[in-house]
């Protein structure tokens, strides 16, 4: 009979406990398959969790505190990448861009830098209710990175919110890598990313060819 050709139950792959746990929106595979899964990341439902913690930070620090740090750095870097690109096209009145973003830092008056410093400090303390240590930062039960700031109401749909949480994490990670690369690129070439790309030999002719062949519109 056909049953004779069916694999026995012992030959079928078994569903592990870890695979059966609902993890919410996340990438499916481990970042580095041959590394051991960090125990503190094993059963978390963090968006974008790919069990990547080769240094073992999650063994020593609260996982929610680590996730909030990642989200904050990612958000800052997304703004930084946007600003780094925008400054190649826009210059604020009464200011003049330096050769690199580091030079721009010294163009800003000291009073302006202190304003930024205190404003960031006030936001950090205020958003956390003056609780800034891992021991009490989440005492009210809030999720990491959640400051009840959603003026456009993107979080009303739970399914859409879960997807946007994953998108934010992935874009934030990319932005952290991007701002590091773009800053070092400035040091090496003295040019911004857009300026450098447009000065690549044959760039204009290649772009024109792409438009004429309808590869790019």
């Amino acid at each position: 009979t056909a049953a004779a050709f069916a694999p026995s139950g012992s030959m079928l792959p078994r569903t592990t406990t870890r695979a059966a746990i609902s993890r919410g929106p996340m990438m499916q595979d481990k970042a580095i398959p041959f590394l051991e899964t960090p125990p503190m990341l094993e059963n978390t439902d963090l968006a974008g969790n790919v069990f990547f913690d080769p240094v073992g930070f999650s063994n020593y620090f609260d996982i929610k505190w680590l996730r909030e740090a990642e989200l904050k750095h990612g958000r800052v870097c997304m703004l930084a990448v946007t600003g780094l690109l925008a400054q190649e096209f826009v210059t604020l009145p009464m200011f003049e861009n330096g050769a690199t973003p580091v030079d721009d830092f010294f163009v800003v008056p000291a009073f302006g830098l202190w304003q930024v410093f205190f404003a960031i400090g006030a936001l950090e303390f205020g958003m956390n209710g003056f609780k800034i240590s891992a021991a009490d930062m989440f005492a009210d039960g809030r999720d990491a990175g959640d400051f009840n700031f959603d003026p456009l109401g993107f979080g009303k749909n739970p399914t859409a919110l879960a997807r946007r949480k994953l998108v934010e994490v992935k874009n934030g990670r990319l932005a952290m890598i991007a701002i590091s690369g773009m800053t070092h690129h400035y040091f090496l070439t003295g040019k911004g990313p857009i300026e450098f790309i447009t000065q690549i030999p044959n760039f204009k002719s290649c772009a024109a060819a792409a438009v004429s062949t309808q590869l790019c519109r």
Side-chain angles (χ1 to χ4, degrees):
T1 64
F5 298 94
S8 64
S10 61
M11 296 177 61
L12 294 175
R14 296 181 179 178
T15 302
T16 62
T17 302
R18 189 179 74 184
I21 296 174
S22 175
R23 299 184 184 281
M26 56 178 289
M27 294 164 281
Q28 296 302 310
D29 298 324
K30 294 173 61 176
I32 305 180
F34 56 83
L35 288 183
E36 183 179 352
T37 299
M40 298 304 295
L41 297 180
E42 181 70 22
N43 296 320
T44 62
D45 59 353
L46 297 176
N49 178 20
V50 288
F51 313 108
F52 181 76
D53 185 16
V55 181
F57 286 128
S58 60
N59 295 326
Y60 305 99
F61 300 98
D62 181 75
I63 193 67
K64 293 181 70 174
W65 186 80
L66 292 172
R67 169 44 61 99
E68 179 142 313
E70 179 183 29
L71 287 172
K72 284 184 176 180
H73 282 86
R75 291 165 181 171
V76 169
C77 287
M78 285 188 279
L79 291 172
V81 168
T82 303
L84 201 66
L85 295 175
Q87 72 171 6
E88 295 195 45
F89 306 98
V90 179
T91 302
L92 295 176
M94 301 176 61
F95 293 98
E96 182 177 347
N97 283 347
T100 70
V102 176
D103 295 323
D104 290 339
F105 177 83
F106 296 101
V107 172
V108 179
F111 179 72
L113 294 177
W114 281 112
Q115 281 183 318
V116 173
F117 176 79
F118 284 114
I120 293 174
L123 284 173
E124 187 73 14
F125 277 92
M127 289 189 301
N128 290 316
F130 297 92
K131 300 175 182 178
I132 59 173
S133 70
D136 58 7
M137 186 180 291
F138 306 102
D140 57 357
R142 71 176 180 85
D143 292 333
D146 182 6
F147 299 104
N148 293 319
F149 180 76
D150 186 14
L152 300 180
F154 287 140
K156 293 181 178 179
N157 186 323
T159 303
L161 178 62
R163 178 183 175 276
R164 289 191 175 99
K165 284 183 177 181
L166 177 58
V167 169
E168 180 184 33
V169 171
K170 295 174 74 173
N171 281 312
R173 291 169 179 171
L174 178 61
M176 285 187 277
I177 297 174
I179 193 64
S180 300
M182 293 164 69
T183 303
H184 284 82
H185 180 270
Y186 263 108
F187 286 132
L188 294 173
T189 67
K191 300 177 181 178
I194 305 300
E195 180 186 5
F196 182 81
I197 291 175
T198 56
Q199 293 182 359
I200 294 176
N202 300 323
F203 172 80
K204 292 183 179 180
S205 60
C206 291
V211 172
S212 63
T213 57
Q214 297 186 350
L215 291 176
C216 177
R217 295 182 180 182

